[in-house]
């Protein structure tokens, strides 16, 4: 089975469109991106967010910051009732503490689920928002009715945006979770043992079919550019011949993008229906 993110993104997108239409008497949901670098990859990412916002009828805005003014801008956005979602683009300005920046965002506007408050609430099972990519993996698994109860899951990658929050979401689904990273010994054994492996490493085609047991399921979170083409952390051609695996491109990334949009709409609804 090939796990297709485009199909799921379309289903989630249809529900977003319906919700935006249902809420139109309240106003228009809005997202503001706080930008401190205008390099090519940031611009590509911002353009894709803007395109999605336009598609779903969400107001999109960008503000540029260049140093300490990032804090006053976040304060202003927190206080502005017409701003529902705030996204801080990485990297933050040189010399600025990213943790301090994220800590300032109001958790109800933290549509990426990156603030310490939302991550702490995730630990307790009740965040306003969950990191979009981790949530996207869970929604893909649910869409394809992949059972998690009692399953052995190995996550390779322990970032705060993907591996760590995903480990909590999978624990909530009664999976037994092993989280691996660059210092893990005998990684291949941990992957071979797993019913489900999530690859979130950032190393192109690191995992070929020889890594996995015969009936394993593989979710590829990786997005890597090789010779101008996007490839995952999994060697799709080798693995898809034997196992169920998600596509890259057209997999987790597509679902992640619409979950961000859904979070913005939910943030607006939370304010409007309070
Ligand atoms: N699909 C999406 O929507 C989406 C969203 C976000 C990211 N991504 C992609 O997902 C990948 C991971 O992103 P990220 O932000 O989580 O990356 P990250 O912050 O760089 O984390 C990478 C993780 O992989 C681990 N790692 C690196 N090399 C390893 C190795 N040889 N063996 C085992 N573990 C290794 C690192 O270990 P240490 O902690 O020990 O350094 C770290 O925990 C990237 O390709 C990124 O582009 C996709």
């Amino acid at each position: 089975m090939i796990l297709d993110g485009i199909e799921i993104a379309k289903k989630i997108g249809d529900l977003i469109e319906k919700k935006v239409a249902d809420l139109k008497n309240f106003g228009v949901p809005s997202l503001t991106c706080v930008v401190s670098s205008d390099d090519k990859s940031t611009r590509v990412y911002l353009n894709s967010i803007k395109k999605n916002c336009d598609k779903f009828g969400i107001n999109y805005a960008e503000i540029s910051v260049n140093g300490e003014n990032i804090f006053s801008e976040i304060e202003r956005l927190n206080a502005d009732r017409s701003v529902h979602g705030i996204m801080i683009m990485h990297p933050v300005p040189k010399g600025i503490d990213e943790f301090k920046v994220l800590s300032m965002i109001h958790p109800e506007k933290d549509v990426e689920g990156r603030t310490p408050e939302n991550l702490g609430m995730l630990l307790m099972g009740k965040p306003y928002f969950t990191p979009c990519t981790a949530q996207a993996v869970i929604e893909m698994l649910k869409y394809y009715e992949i059972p998690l109860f009692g399953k052995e899951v190995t996550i390779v990658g322990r970032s705060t945006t993907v591996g760590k929050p995903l480990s909590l979401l999978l624990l909530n689904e009664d999976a037994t979770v092993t989280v691996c990273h660059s210092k893990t010994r005998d990684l291949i054994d941990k992957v071979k043992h797993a019913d489900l492996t999530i690859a979130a490493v950032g190393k192109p085609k690191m995992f070929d079919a020889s890594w996995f047991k015969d009936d394993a399921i593989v979710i590829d979170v990786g997005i890597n550019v090789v010779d101008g083409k996007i490839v995952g952390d999994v060697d799709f051609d080798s693995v898809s011949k034997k196992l169920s695996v998600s596509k890259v491109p057209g997999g987790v990334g597509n679902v992640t993008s619409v979950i961000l949009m859904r979070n913005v709409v939910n943030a607006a609804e939370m304010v409007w229906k309070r």
Side-chain angles (χ1 to χ4, degrees), residues 133 156-163 180-184 187 199-203 206-207 220-224 233 252-254 256-257:
T133 305
V156 193
R158 58 171 163 182
S159 69
T160 315
T161 44
V162 187
C180 303
H181 46 82
S182 66
K183 315 296 182 296
T184 297
L187 178 64
V201 175
K203 298 262 185 297
M206 173 169 163
F207 301 94
D220 190 356
V221 175
I223 298 180
N224 312 286
D233 290 346
V252 176
N254 293 60
T256 302
S257 308

Side-chain angles (χ1 to χ4, degrees), residues 121-156:
M121 304 251 267
L122 175 60
L123 193 64
M124 305 300 285
K126 286 189 188 309
Y128 292 110
F129 298 106
T130 308
C132 304
T133 305
Q135 186 64 37
V137 171
I138 294 290
E139 299 208 12
M140 276 188 99
L141 294 167
K142 293 209 162 157
Y143 182 83
Y144 284 102
E145 297 180 347
I146 293 166
L148 294 169
F149 182 93
K151 296 290 176 185
E152 299 284 341
V153 181
T154 293
I155 303 174
V156 193

